[in-house]
Amino acid sequence: TSAWPGLIEAYRDRLPVTDGTPVITLFEGGTPLVPAPTLSDRVNAEVFLKVEGANPTGSFKDRGMTMAISKAAEAGAQAVICASTGNTSASAAAYAVRAGMVCAVLVPQGKIALGKMAQALVHGARLLQVDGNFDDCLELARKLAVDYPVALVNSVNPDRIEGQKTAAFEICDVLGQAPDIHCIPVGNAGNITAYWKGYREYARDGVVDGTPAMFGFQAAGAAPIVLGHPVLKPMTIATAIRIGNPASWTQAEAARDESHGVIDSVTDKEILEAYRLLARKEAVFVEPASAASVAGLIKSSKAGRVPAGATVVCTVTGNGLKDPEWAISGAPAPVTIAVDAHSAATELGLA
Ligand code: F0G
């Protein structure tokens, strides 16, 4: 049949799997590359959105998790652990169910979106809220994975990067070439590392002619790579990328430098403007962190960094339903009416 087989089967020859690897899949990947006409007009380029919220648990993490959990199963692991700002824990919890494993997650207390918390809980993860930030959670998870029989499935696990690099393959497969510019939010910096690996592999093997310039964007209150030093108290409404000391810092800098790209910051105001533009003009509902790629594209265009007519892909990393707070607080409160057609018509401006 022609049904999408999941990314491990789709790209088996480019992934570290063998016939002996049990494939733990929810048929992730194969996500839409959606043209963005309003954005294209705005920046005078041809802009596409890689809509990663269309993955099974609603974020790009599923790409990394199908690989990480499959490899953990191959190695005989019975339990996995991760630190998370929410999406990794949601994904790990779901794939652990599929693999029959126990899943433990460490999240910063009060700083993960409600939808993500719901996902981890409904899939039966053992969730601990840590009185600290994501960076503290990751340090703790790494220690536990060394001292106890539990496999770490954060993006410091190379299998995660392998799975996530397939998004770059899909983009090239659809476009028939690599884009000129790839815009992506940066938190712990695993995803920019993964895309850059994927693009390089396709170019090396002659599947496409070149590689894009990688444009990574951190939130201004959590922009250690832009500032050149860790941020002890990272702050941003984009909780998914509220990270002060990214684990893949050097790999992100390498992606930037080797691709002749940039890593820049965007303010929460710019993030929310891009978030609303995506919903109102492109009909794509993302979570705030995801809008950082688009906010960054708009900022880069204003700074003259986007050549006219360039092909640009923005990864929008997670589904808007995970974090509805900003959708609701930014909208006028709905009006309540009686069961009455005339009042409805009046309120709707039809009468
Ligand atoms: N966008 C979303 C929606 C995310 O959840 C994350 C990371 C990123 C962007 C940044 O990706 O870390 O590879 O640079 N979320 C992690 C988590 C940290 O725990 O879910 P990155």
Side-chain angles (χ1 to χ4, degrees):
T1 73
S2 61
W4 176 255
L7 64 84
I8 292 181
E9 292 309 338
Y11 295 106
R12 177 172 273 276
D13 57 339
R14 296 187 169 276
L15 293 169
V17 290
T18 67
D19 291 346
T21 310
V23 175
I24 310 298
T25 183
L26 293 167
F27 301 91
E28 56 296 309
T31 56
L33 189 66
V34 179
T38 300
L39 265 173
S40 296
D41 269 1
R42 172 82 75 97
V43 304
N44 191 25
E46 200 182 349
V47 182
F48 297 86
L49 304 170
K50 183 64 169 162
V51 181
E52 289 292 276
N55 277 297
T57 77
S59 86
F60 71 95
K61 305 289 180 179
D62 295 342
R63 293 182 183 277
M65 212 53 74
T66 186
M67 274 298 304
I69 298 285
S70 296
K71 295 298 282 184
E74 182 176 1
Q78 289 176 358
V80 293
I81 190 167
C82 65
S84 185
T85 56
N87 282 322
T88 299
S89 56
S91 186
Y95 283 81
V97 165
R98 209 71 189 184
M101 292 178 192
V102 170
C103 177
V105 307
L106 305 176
V107 300
Q109 189 198 3
K111 296 293 180 189
I112 85 165
L114 191 62
K116 303 173 187 179
M117 175 76 91
Q119 290 180 286
L121 295 176
V122 82
H123 292 305
R126 297 191 185 162
L127 182 140
L128 297 178
Q129 308 199 80
V130 178
D131 182 13
N133 60 34
F134 170 83
D135 306 288
D136 302 316
C137 293
L138 183 55
E139 202 183 313
L140 209 52
R142 293 175 97 144
K143 276 192 193 132
L144 289 164
V146 169
D147 293 338
Y148 299 91
V150 57
L152 187 67
V153 294
N154 280 105
S155 60
V156 292
N157 176 335
D159 297 321
R160 282 276 311 276
I161 304 299
E162 290 298 312
Q164 287 172 216
K165 76 182 181 185
T166 61
F169 299 161
E170 290 176 15
I171 290 164
C172 294
D173 290 347
V174 169
L175 295 177
Q177 59 180 39
D180 299 310
I181 295 173
H182 189 110
C183 299
I184 188 166
V186 174
N188 210 25
N191 214 24
I192 190 172
T193 301
Y195 272 84
W196 182 235
K197 186 167 197 285
Y199 281 127
R200 267 183 307 150
E201 288 181 10
Y202 254 28
R204 178 198 66 200
D205 297 343
V207 184
V208 290
D209 283 339
T211 51
M214 297 300 300
F215 283 21
F217 299 100
Q218 302 193 293
I225 301 176
V226 179
L227 296 171
H229 58 78
V231 174
L232 283 179
K233 291 203 162 74
M235 303 277 262
T236 169
I237 58 117
T239 52
I241 53 172
R242 186 173 166 273
I243 294 174
N245 191 12
S248 299
W249 186 320
T250 52
Q251 294 91 324
E253 287 185 335
R256 175 194 64 195
D257 298 341
E258 291 166 22
S259 76
H260 309 289
V262 291
I263 295 183
D264 199 357
S265 62
V266 284
T267 63
D268 282 358
K269 186 163 173 279
E270 290 168 324
I271 288 173
L272 284 173
E273 278 166 12
Y275 169 82
R276 295 195 180 109
L277 181 147
L278 282 168
R280 293 290 183 96
K281 303 292 184 190
E282 307 292 6
V284 177
F285 184 24
V286 303
E287 62 170 291
S290 305
S293 59
V294 171
L297 168 62
I298 293 168
K299 182 179 178 186
S300 303
S301 169
K302 285 181 186 156
R305 290 205 193 105
V306 180
T311 301
V312 180
V313 173
C314 295
T315 297
V316 285
T317 44
N319 193 299
L321 292 170
K322 285 170 171 279
D323 191 2
E325 182 188 339
W326 292 98
I328 294 168
S329 64
V335 171
T336 302
I337 57 154
V339 188
D340 174 62
H342 183 71
S343 347
T346 305
E347 285 297 340
L348 295 170
L350 299 170

